[in-house]
């Protein structure tokens, strides 16, 4: 349903949390090294995809935590560079922009803060605390925005 064209793609983005295997059209390790971009959204020390035949690997978290306490750390900075791992950012501060922030259509952003952490039914206690702190700061600082879950996850 997402295929727009049958012509060869320059890169293919694969989310291993949504499907178990890389795109079937990438049949050889050499082709995967040229075209496969992995976006691993799991919070875990180990990468979901164990192969090294990819162009780049974006990973959300390299630690295992329980209730905000780090239980295990992931690879070193040197090994992540060698393995072509890159972090997925959680947020962006206005200080990182050269010009005032706008949306993709050029309009000013409508909210000061957006925090969409999924807290589940108690299994993500650290996230629940961050979400609560965000809500409290929004009230105290009179900031506009949204703080709450958008969906229940995959």
């Amino acid at each position: 349903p997402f295929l727009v064209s049958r012509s060869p793609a320059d890169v293919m983005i694969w989310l291993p949390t949504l499907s178990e295997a890389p795109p079937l059209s990438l049949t050889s390790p050499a082709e995967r090294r040229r075209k496969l971009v992995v976006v691993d959204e799991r919070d875990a020390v180990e990468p979901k995809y164990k192969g090294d035949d990819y162009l780049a690997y974006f990973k959300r978290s390299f630690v295992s935590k329980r209730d905000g306490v780090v239980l295990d750390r992931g690879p070193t900075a040197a090994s992540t560079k060698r393995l072509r791992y890159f972090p997925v950012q959680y947020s962006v501060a206005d200080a990182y922009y050269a010009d005032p922030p706008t949306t993709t259509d050029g309009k000013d952003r409508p909210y000061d803060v957006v925090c969409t952490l999924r807290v589940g039914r108690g299994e993500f206690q650290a996230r629940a605390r961050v979400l609560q702190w965000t809500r409290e700061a929004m009230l105290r600082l009179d900031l506009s925005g949204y703080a709450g879950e958008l969906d229940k996850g995959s």
Side-chain angles (χ1 to χ4, degrees), residues 84-154:
R84 300 174 317 284
Y85 288 164
F86 304 96
V88 174
Q89 290 190 343
Y90 283 95
S91 62
V92 177
D94 287 350
Y96 290 100
Y97 289 98
D99 297 315
T102 59
T103 60
T104 54
D105 64 1
K107 297 178 182 171
D108 289 338
R109 292 188 304 189
Y111 302 119
D112 296 316
V113 175
V114 175
C115 181
T116 58
L117 289 173
R118 282 187 290 113
V119 299
R121 294 189 176 126
E123 64 263 39
F124 304 119
Q125 295 172 11
R127 291 181 187 182
R129 285 193 299 273
V130 170
L131 189 58
Q132 184 59 37
W133 296 335
T134 302
R135 288 175 176 153
E136 291 168 3
M138 289 171 68
L139 288 171
R140 187 175 65 253
L141 300 171
D142 193 30
L143 299 171
S144 68
Y146 178 82
E149 296 185 50
L150 287 181
D151 60 32
K152 300 301 178 194
S154 53

Side-chain angles (χ1 to χ4, degrees), residues 5-11 35:
S5 168
R6 293 203 180 272
S7 62
D10 293 329
V11 298
K35 294 185 174 189

